[in-house]
Amino acid sequence: MKVQWPYDLRKGERYSFENGVHTLKVYSNDKPHSKESHTRPRTEVRIAGYDYSSGVWQFEGHGFVPSGTSGVCIMQVFGASEHASTLMVRVYGGNLAIYRSKVLPDIYDRWFRLNVIHNVDDGEVKVYVDRSLVYKGPDHGGKSHYFKFGVYAQNDDSRLMESRWKGIKILRKKS
């Protein structure tokens, strides 16, 4: 796993891994993850070694978003044809959203199980929360993908954004 955090800070100021839990924080006025980047502030984990371009791939993890965190991407499938990502799972005002479309209310202050299944060959993405399908839609194409989780500031972001993660798994369906 590769961690990205604001370039002017020490990793430990925004990321920790204790007792099996990843805790990731970022402030709306933090710097991006590199001096060259023009993106918004983030503290994210990129799951390295599992880049893919075909087949069926799944991200599974248990997430927790403290109340007050808003305007933030907490998980993404990176890589697409005309966009940077195939999917962004975001939080706005306690609601879980796919990009800006609300898919589940009341996500704050509780552990939830998130499963994201990307069928590259069929061009489809499914999102499950606590084993219930909350989203099914087309992907955005692209030739290379990978999974990320954490906090990545989006529009209407709160001053402090935080997410916690445990039990992260990457699965691939054998052909």
Side-chain angles (χ1 to χ4, degrees), residues 2 13 54 63-64 66 83 85 92 94 100 105 138-139 165:
K2 180 181 176 192
E13 293 180 71
S54 64
F64 183 97
H83 305 274
S85 61
Y92 289 102
R100 294 283 300 197
D139 70 8
W165 293 89

Side-chain angles (χ1 to χ4, degrees), residues 17-115:
F17 182 68
E18 296 177 13
N19 300 316
V21 177
H22 302 267
T23 300
L24 305 101
K25 299 178 182 181
V26 75
Y27 287 87
S28 58
N29 62 347
D30 277 346
K31 304 273 190 222
H33 66 285
S34 73
K35 287 182 181 181
E36 298 77 31
S37 176
H38 299 289
T39 62
R40 308 277 321 265
R42 73 181 76 199
T43 302
E44 288 185 303
V45 173
R46 175 186 172 178
I47 302 174
Y50 291 94
D51 292 21
Y52 60 95
S53 58
S54 64
V56 180
W57 290 80
Q58 180 177 184
F59 168 93
E60 178 179 295
H62 292 83
F64 183 97
V65 179
S67 60
T69 292
S70 191
V72 65
C73 173
I74 60 168
M75 187 274 169
Q76 64 176 304
V77 178
F78 192 84
S81 293
E82 297 180 19
H83 305 274
S85 61
T86 282
L87 178 85
M88 279 192 165
V89 178
R90 298 181 184 179
V91 174
Y92 289 102
N95 300 310
L96 199 68
I98 303 303
Y99 294 98
R100 294 283 300 197
S101 299
K102 176 181 161 183
V103 294
L104 188 70
D106 304 322
I107 205 70
Y108 282 156
D109 299 326
R110 68 177 185 90
W111 286 101
F112 57 90
R113 178 178 166 180
L114 180 69
N115 293 82

Side-chain angles (χ1 to χ4, degrees), residues 149-166:
F149 64 92
V151 282
Y152 177 21
Q154 300 299 305
N155 42 334
D156 303 320
D157 50 328
S158 55
R159 183 176 169 279
L160 170 63
M161 293 154 273
E162 178 181 340
S163 71
R164 301 174 199 151
W165 293 89
K166 63 184 180 179

